């Protein structure tokens, strides 16, 4: 099992500040509370030096620097998870989420399996190691190796950590990407009378330690990722997501298995979704870079196009429906019957957060990649040990019979 834990540039630089101020302001670009004075973080100083040296940078380059810069990146050093951090994910909201997903792992219980985690965050990898591994067996660490950490889980399963999917051994695998794709760098484009123009980030000429959005004066290379029949006036494209989906698709087509992608997203309908979070609240994406999480909703229609011809895809399906199909109501009833009143209230609150359409129920989506033959009654891709033909619904994407 592998877990993914989530052309014109030369002339542009030569033109120095030959950019168009970006006057439109998307709903997520600002928290609505401009700071009284700019917080000059180490990352902001780094970005200002970079822009002064090379010119305005794309939103994709900005995200990559802010989140994963080896020296100052948000995911590399910051404690971002939990109540005292900046965000919380479904497994932390309620134990029901993890218990429902444990059913996917149960089909592999009699198989010879190993776990491979792709994780760039030093903080998160340490948390994972403390949670998953056996304390009596010391972790093997090698910072210079593609496998930078190894261990054994509490149930005796070998587990390894990688920084890149390409380093994970190929073989029959079940890939789970939970809140992974929404932090990959996106390019943002605005439709203008002159055609599509990419959104860049530049230094505000009136405030030397403040950043602003601008529009590129000419066509930029990433425009090739925009559909010719695109009707929206603002789009976000993520080439890196396409590369990863193509890699997953090739692996699944070659060796079998399946991939499940769970994330905030849409099916090619939304426009501006780029936003920041700090202390569980919306945060201006250009303010105090390096202190807040940056994210953009996943365009599942793009992932589907990238997988076409190699594997089949299912979804996106809303989290509310997916978890209901996975039997969350049955599991909730079992837990409630065994719990005291404080625990019951906690379970019900977590269930509401996961399932309520106004909360995560309709904002979070599930999307699957699997071999074409899986949908035509051949062997089940989520069970490496099963050889008998199966025409059962794919777990989570069809209603199953629960007893």
């Amino acid at each position: 099992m592998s877990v993914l834990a989530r052309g014109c540039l030369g002339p542009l630089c030569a033109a120095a500040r030959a950019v168009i101020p970006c006057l439109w302001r998307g709903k997520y670009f600002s928290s609505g509370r401009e700071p009284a004075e700019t917080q000059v973080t180490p990352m902001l100083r780094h970005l200002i030096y970079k822009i002064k040296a090379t010119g305005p940078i794309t939103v994709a380059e900005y995200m990559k620097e802010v989140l994963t810069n080896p020296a100052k990146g948000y995911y590399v050093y910051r404690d971002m998870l939990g109540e005292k951090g900046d965000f919380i994910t479904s497994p932390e909201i309620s134990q029901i989420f993890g218990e429902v997903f444990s059913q996917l792992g149960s089909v592999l219980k009699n198989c010879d399996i190993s776990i491979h985690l792709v994780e760039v965050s030093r903080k998160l990898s340490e948390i994972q190691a403390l949670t998953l591994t056996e304390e009596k067996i010391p972790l093997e660490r090698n910072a210079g190796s593609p496998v930078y950490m190894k261990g054994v889980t509490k149930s005796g399963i070998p587990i390894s950590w990688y920084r890149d999917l390409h380093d994970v051994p190929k073989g029959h695998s079940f890939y789970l990407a939970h809140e992974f794709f929404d932090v990959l760098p996106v390019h943002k484009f605005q439709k203008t009378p002159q055609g599509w123009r990419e959104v860049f980030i530049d230094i505000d000429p009136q405030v030397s330690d403040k950043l602003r959005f601008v529009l590129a004066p000419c066509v930029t290379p990433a425009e090739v990722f925009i559909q010719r029949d695109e009707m929206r006036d603002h789009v976000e494209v993520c080439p890196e997501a396409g590369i990863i989906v193509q890699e997953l698709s090739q692996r699944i087509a070659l060796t079998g298995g399946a991939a499940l992608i769970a994330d905030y997203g849409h099916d090619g309908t939304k426009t501006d979704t780029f936003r920041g979070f700090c202390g569980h609240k919306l945060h201006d994406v250009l303010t105090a870079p390096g202190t807040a999480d940056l994210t953009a909703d996943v365009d599942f229609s793009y992932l589907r196009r990238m997988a076409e011809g190699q594997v089949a895809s299912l979804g996106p399906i809303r989290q509310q429906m997916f978890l209901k199909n996975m039997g969350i109501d049955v599991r909730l009833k079992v837990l409630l019957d065994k719990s005291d009143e404080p625990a019951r209230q906690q379970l019900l609150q977590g269930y509401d957060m996961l399932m309520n359409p106004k909360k995560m129920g309709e904002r979070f989506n599930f999307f699957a990649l699997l071999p074409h033959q899986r949908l035509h009654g051949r062997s089940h891709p989520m069970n490496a040990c099963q050889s008998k033909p199966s025409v059962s619904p794919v777990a989570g994407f069809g209603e199953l019979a629960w007893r």
Side-chain angles (χ1 to χ4, degrees):
M1 175 182 289
S2 297
V3 182
L4 308 179
R6 143 253 251 157
C8 185
L9 293 182
L12 181 64
C13 296
R17 294 295 177 263
V19 293
I20 306 169
C22 191
L23 300 179
W24 117 96
R25 197 169 183 80
K27 62 180 179 179
Y28 287 127
F29 278 3
S30 173
S31 63
R33 296 184 299 275
E34 295 293 342
E37 58 182 47
T38 303
Q39 180 182 349
V40 182
T41 62
M43 176 56 68
L44 178 58
R45 284 195 294 268
H46 166 71
L47 291 167
I48 289 174
Y49 293 149
K50 182 180 182 67
I51 293 171
K52 285 181 177 179
T54 64
I57 59 175
T58 65
V59 173
E61 189 173 0
Y62 177 79
M63 288 184 70
K64 190 170 184 178
E65 285 290 331
V66 171
L67 296 179
T68 60
N69 180 286
K72 307 176 181 68
Y74 173 84
Y75 281 129
V76 178
Y77 292 105
R78 190 172 174 86
D79 289 320
M80 74 290 291
L81 202 59
E83 292 184 9
K84 296 181 180 180
D86 299 319
F87 61 86
I88 191 169
T89 61
S90 297
E92 289 82 43
I93 290 174
S94 175
Q95 71 181 82
I96 312 176
F97 188 88
E99 293 194 15
V100 167
F101 270 83
S102 67
Q103 298 173 85
L104 295 175
S106 66
V107 298
L108 300 171
K109 62 183 178 181
N110 295 321
C111 300
D112 182 17
I113 66 172
S114 58
I115 298 174
H116 304 273
L117 295 172
V118 179
E119 180 61 74
V120 297
S121 169
R122 182 179 302 177
K123 293 288 186 180
L124 289 181
S125 63
E126 293 295 337
I127 294 173
Q128 293 158 1
L130 287 171
T131 305
L132 296 173
T133 59
E134 176 57 62
E135 294 181 9
K136 297 179 182 179
I137 303 177
L139 290 166
E140 297 179 34
R141 301 173 186 268
N142 186 347
S145 171
V147 187
Y148 65 86
M149 194 160 63
K150 288 183 180 180
V152 178
T153 69
K154 296 173 183 177
S155 55
I157 300 173
I159 183 170
S160 303
W161 279 263
Y162 305 78
R163 295 184 184 85
D164 196 297
L165 174 62
H166 292 285
D167 296 323
V168 177
K170 294 182 179 180
H172 194 292
S173 300
F174 176 69
Y175 301 91
L176 174 61
H178 183 266
E179 293 199 43
F180 174 83
F181 281 85
D182 70 314
V183 297
L184 296 179
V186 298
H187 293 264
K188 294 178 69 67
F189 286 87
Q190 178 72 20
K191 187 177 289 184
T192 73
Q194 292 74 39
W196 289 105
R197 291 295 180 264
E198 186 166 2
V199 178
F200 275 68
I201 292 171
D202 194 10
I203 301 168
D204 190 326
Q206 297 181 353
V207 186
S208 61
D209 56 3
K210 186 178 180 181
L211 302 175
R212 65 167 183 167
F213 291 103
V214 295
L215 293 180
C218 59
V219 175
T220 51
E223 186 179 328
V224 299
F225 294 96
I226 302 176
Q227 293 287 96
R228 290 190 176 184
D229 58 353
E230 180 59 66
M231 300 299 293
R232 292 171 289 175
D233 60 5
H234 186 92
V235 295
E236 296 166 338
V237 296
C238 184
E240 194 168 329
I243 293 171
I244 292 173
V245 164
Q246 288 180 331
E247 171 73 13
L248 291 173
S249 300
Q250 291 170 4
R251 287 172 175 244
I252 293 168
L254 181 65
T255 61
L260 182 64
I261 298 170
D263 228 316
Y264 294 99
H266 58 93
D267 205 11
T269 56
K270 292 186 179 181
T271 54
D272 166 36
T273 71
F274 181 41
R275 57 200 185 277
F277 284 95
C278 184
H280 302 277
K281 296 179 181 179
L282 280 172
H283 178 87
D284 189 317
V285 293
L286 298 185
T287 298
T291 66
D293 185 29
L294 300 179
T295 177
D297 283 4
V298 179
D299 184 349
F300 290 105
S301 68
Y302 173 64
L303 302 191
R304 186 184 304 113
R305 291 197 302 272
M306 293 299 99
E308 282 179 356
Q310 299 187 78
V311 294
S313 64
L314 291 175
I317 182 174
R318 303 296 189 193
Q319 175 168 281
Q320 181 188 47
M321 183 60 66
F322 182 88
L323 294 180
K324 188 174 287 290
N325 289 340
M326 289 293 294
I328 189 172
D329 293 328
V330 176
R331 188 58 193 157
L332 175 65
K333 184 178 185 305
V334 171
L335 292 172
L336 290 175
D337 290 342
K338 297 179 178 179
S339 303
D340 57 21
E341 187 57 29
R344 286 171 60 89
Q345 290 303 315
Q346 188 174 16
L347 285 167
L348 290 171
Q349 289 174 6
Y351 177 88
D352 180 65
M353 178 63 74
L354 293 173
M355 300 292 284
N356 192 323
K358 295 181 179 180
K359 297 178 182 178
M360 293 184 69
E362 289 192 357
R363 293 192 61 211
F364 212 68
N365 294 269
F366 288 80
F367 181 82
L369 303 173
L370 60 167
H372 286 290
Q373 59 266 31
R374 170 60 180 88
L375 302 183
H376 296 86
R378 297 187 185 179
S379 60
H380 198 301
M382 293 187 182
N383 190 344
C385 301
Q386 182 178 348
S387 58
K388 295 181 180 179
S390 169
V391 292
S392 63
V394 176
F397 292 88
E399 189 173 354
L400 306 180
W402 296 98
R403 297 178 181 178

